[in-house]
Amino acid sequence: MKKYILKRILLIIPILLGVSFIVFSILSLTPGDPARLMLGVGASEEALNGLREELGLNRPFLTRYFDYMAGVFHGDFGISYRTKLPVFEEISVRFPVTLRLALLAIGMVTVFGILLGVLAAVKQHKITDYILSVFAMLAASVPGFWLGLMMTLLFALQLKWLPSYGLDSWKSYVMPVIALSLPSLAELMRMTRSTMLETIRQDYVRTARSKGVMERRMLLRHALKNALMPIITVIGSNFGSLLGGAVVIETVFSLPGIGNMIVTSIRTKDVPQVMAGTMFIALMFCLVLLVVDVAYALIDPRVRTRYESGGKKEATRA
């Protein structure tokens, strides 16, 4: 098991290298001059050339990329073109906002997605199942940014119940969390419903019912526990997606998170901030998937046995 975890951690390195190269290439090939954006339209050509030389923008593409990655491997993510501050300092300040938003969203997705999915499975072909199915289809089809704008018009501008931007209090998280989590909630609810329907038709569930086991206990201790494997996969992938999806939601609600920083940096061609922000989110996504794989082994003894037996076979061959 430890060897498997080590392999997965080492696999993160080429993934981050690939992400960094793709993002750096896009930033380099898209139109826009960071020097002109920083100095303004009226800047002289001499000042522009001096700033380009200072930032290293006159060097070849591959040279700039390898120089940047060499600094990353030494813990230096560069200096922001806009703020003139170390990029890692700004990420450390903004990441708690993004993480808090993603954790609140995944908590809402997990609780309501599983509960509503189990309820829809238990009430199959009844009015409750039909209502929840329609809700899931609507929630999955509504874009998060559109929902955020509509909620802002209703709850902030018309009813004045919730703030429309910023982080003044806990109320500031209500609309962003709902807009961010609703599509993922619908996905988890449908997955839970389908896996529960498949599980409750198994022979061991029929046997438990014939022995007089209480319905609630049978659902929680037998059916739901055995249906958790695909549900955990969806929760893990959704959490990573919520970290990335926060880019749009933070921009809509003007939240001071990494997503808002990335969008602002893209507009100004602030390469160090965009690179560091996207690589950090990619790293978090990889770590979440690693936790999901480890959770498999903790929940399902068959998976744990496979990892342990695989390690024993390799040790025997050696």
Side-chain angles (χ1 to χ4, degrees), residues 1 19 30 32 36 40 66 79-80 111 117 140 153-154 157-158 168 178 180 188 242 250 253 255 257 265 269:
M1 186 67 181
V19 170
T30 51
R36 186 169 294 279
F66 286 121
I79 305 296
S80 171
V111 173
L153 291 175
L154 177 61
L157 298 181
Q158 296 294 330
D168 298 329
I178 294 175
L180 183 61
L188 182 61
L242 292 175
E250 287 176 3
F253 293 99
L255 302 180
S265 302
K269 296 279 287 190

Side-chain angles (χ1 to χ4, degrees), residues 17-240:
L17 289 175
V19 170
S20 66
F21 184 78
I22 292 173
V23 174
F24 197 89
S25 302
I26 293 174
L27 291 173
S28 300
L29 296 176
T30 51
D33 184 2
R36 186 169 294 279
L37 291 172
M38 293 170 65
L39 297 179
V41 180
S44 64
E45 196 65 30
E46 182 180 355
L48 291 173
N49 290 330
L51 184 57
R52 293 190 189 107
E53 188 67 28
E54 179 185 349
L55 298 177
L57 300 176
N58 293 330
R59 292 178 294 173
F61 164 75
L62 290 178
T63 303
R64 288 186 284 119
Y65 173 73
F66 286 121
D67 287 346
Y68 177 80
M69 293 307 300
V72 170
F73 283 119
H74 288 87
D76 181 15
F77 289 85
I79 305 296
S80 171
Y81 294 167
R82 295 183 301 111
T83 62
K84 305 299 181 182
L85 297 173
V87 173
F88 192 79
E89 291 184 7
E90 189 159 1
I91 287 180
S92 63
V93 173
R94 290 175 174 265
F95 178 65
V97 177
T98 301
L99 180 62
R100 196 178 302 118
L101 180 63
L103 287 175
L104 290 172
I106 198 62
M108 179 177 174
V109 168
T110 303
V111 173
F112 290 99
I114 293 178
L115 288 178
L116 295 178
V118 172
L119 180 61
V122 173
K123 302 293 184 180
Q124 186 185 17
H125 301 316
K126 296 182 180 179
I127 185 64
T128 304
D129 182 27
Y130 295 141
I131 292 174
L132 292 176
S133 298
V134 172
F135 166 75
M137 288 188 289
L138 291 175
S141 60
V142 174
F145 71 90
W146 182 87
L147 180 61
L149 293 174
M150 294 302 102
M151 286 194 299
T152 300
L153 291 175
L154 177 61
F155 296 110
L157 298 181
Q158 296 294 330
L159 301 177
K160 302 187 184 301
W161 289 352
L162 300 170
S164 60
Y165 63 92
L167 290 176
D168 298 329
S169 65
W170 63 269
K171 294 181 179 179
S172 302
Y173 282 100
V174 175
M175 290 193 295
V177 168
I178 294 175
L180 183 61
S181 62
L182 205 57
S184 298
L185 190 152
E187 179 185 0
L188 182 61
M189 191 179 80
R190 289 183 297 174
M191 174 61 71
T192 304
R193 179 184 180 275
S194 61
T195 53
M196 282 295 295
L197 286 176
E198 182 179 350
T199 303
I200 60 180
R201 292 168 182 161
Q202 299 296 320
D203 293 337
Y204 65 88
V205 175
R206 297 192 186 98
T207 303
R209 281 174 174 162
S210 64
K211 290 182 177 181
V213 178
M214 294 179 59
E215 188 71 14
R216 182 180 300 177
R217 183 180 180 184
M218 183 273 299
L219 289 174
L220 296 179
R221 297 194 60 180
H222 297 280
L224 183 58
K225 184 178 180 180
N226 288 280
L228 276 179
M229 295 294 284
I231 294 175
I232 290 176
T233 304
V234 174
I235 292 175
S237 61
N238 278 343
F239 183 64

Side-chain angles (χ1 to χ4, degrees), residues 16 19-20 23 258 262 273-283:
L16 293 180
V19 170
S20 66
V23 174
I258 293 182
I262 292 176
Q273 279 198 341
V274 178
M275 289 289 296
T278 52
M279 289 176 63
F280 194 80
I281 291 178
L283 175 61

